[in-house]
C-alpha cells in the first residue's frame, strides 16, 4: 500500500495529470501485486521555479516537465524489486512522453504500525488489513 506524492510544474491538462497518476499506479500494481484499490496519490502542481531538480552530477539537464515522485511504503521489498518498480514507472511515463531524465523518484520505507487508513486505528496492527507481502 504505497502512498504516492507527485509534484509537477503547472501546465498539464487535467487528463494528462490523471494519466500520470494512473501510469504510476499501474506500474505499482504490476510490480508489487497490490490490490487495485490501494490507490493513494497526492498530486500537486507548482508554479514555474518552485521545483528545483538538478542532475546530482550525472551530466544531464531536466526540463520543466519533470515529475517528482515520492513513494511511501512498508519496508521489506528487495533492492531488485525497487529497481524493477523504478524502471516500470519510467517506462509507463515514457508512454506519456515524459523523458527519462524528467522522472525523479524518492522511496521511503516504514513499518506496518506507521499507517492509519481511518478512524484513528492502525489497521495493519489491529488485523483489519493484512500486511502486504510482495
Amino acid at each position: 500500500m504505497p502512498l504516492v506524492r507527485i509534484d509537477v510544474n503547472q501546465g498539464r491538462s487535467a487528463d494528462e495529470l490523471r494519466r500520470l497518476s494512473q501510469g504510476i499506479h499501474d506500474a505499482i500494481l504490476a510490480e508489487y501485486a497490490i490490490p487495485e484499490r490501494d490507490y493513494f496519490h497526492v498530486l500537486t502542481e507548482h508554479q514555474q521555479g518552485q521545483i528545483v531538480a538538478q542532475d546530482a552530477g550525472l551530466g544531464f539537464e531536466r526540463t520543466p516537465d519533470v515529475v517528482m515522485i515520492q513513494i511511501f511504503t512498508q519496508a521489506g521489498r528487495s533492492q531488485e524489486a525497487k529497481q524493477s518498480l523504478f524502471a516500470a514507472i519510467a517506462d509507463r511515463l515514457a508512454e506519456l512522453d515524459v523523458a527519462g531524465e524528467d522522472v525523479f523518484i524518492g522511496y521511503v520505507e516504514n513499518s506496518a504500525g506507521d499507517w492509519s487508513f481511518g478512524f484513528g486505528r492502525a489497521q495493519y496492527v489491529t488485523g483489519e488489513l493484512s500486511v502486504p507481502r510482495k
Side-chain angles (χ1 to χ4, degrees):
M1 182 294 5
L3 166 62
V4 179
R5 297 191 57 92
I6 306 163
D7 292 274
V8 298
N9 286 309
Q10 291 176 336
R12 289 181 166 95
S13 70
D15 185 58
E16 288 172 312
L17 296 173
R18 182 197 57 75
R19 289 187 292 134
L20 281 175
S21 175
Q22 188 65 56
I24 294 166
H25 185 61
D26 289 346
I28 295 169
L29 286 172
E31 295 301 316
Y32 284 3
I34 64 171
E36 189 169 339
R37 290 184 55 87
D38 277 4
Y39 194 165
F40 303 96
H41 288 197
V42 177
L43 201 147
T44 306
E45 292 183 278
H46 299 272
Q47 294 177 13
Q48 292 292 329
Q50 291 184 334
I51 294 178
V52 177
Q54 295 183 350
D55 68 347
L58 293 171
F60 59 83
E61 294 294 323
R62 296 190 201 275
T63 75
D65 291 333
V66 65
V67 179
M68 298 194 74
I69 304 161
Q70 298 174 29
I71 301 170
F72 300 87
T73 192
Q74 291 186 41
R77 294 184 174 97
S78 70
Q79 192 58 54
E80 293 78 19
K82 295 174 201 176
Q83 293 292 326
S84 183
L85 176 62
F86 297 164
I89 289 172
D91 289 346
R92 298 286 176 136
L93 295 187
E95 294 171 6
L96 303 173
D97 297 323
V98 177
E101 63 268 19
D102 284 333
V103 179
F104 181 98
I105 303 171
Y107 196 94
V108 181
E109 295 181 316
N110 52 45
S111 70
D114 295 324
W115 297 93
S116 173
F117 295 87
F119 306 102
R121 295 190 302 270
Q123 284 87 352
Y124 289 135
V125 174
T126 64
E128 295 168 80
L129 286 173
S130 60
V131 177
R133 297 290 174 212
K134 185 172 179 182

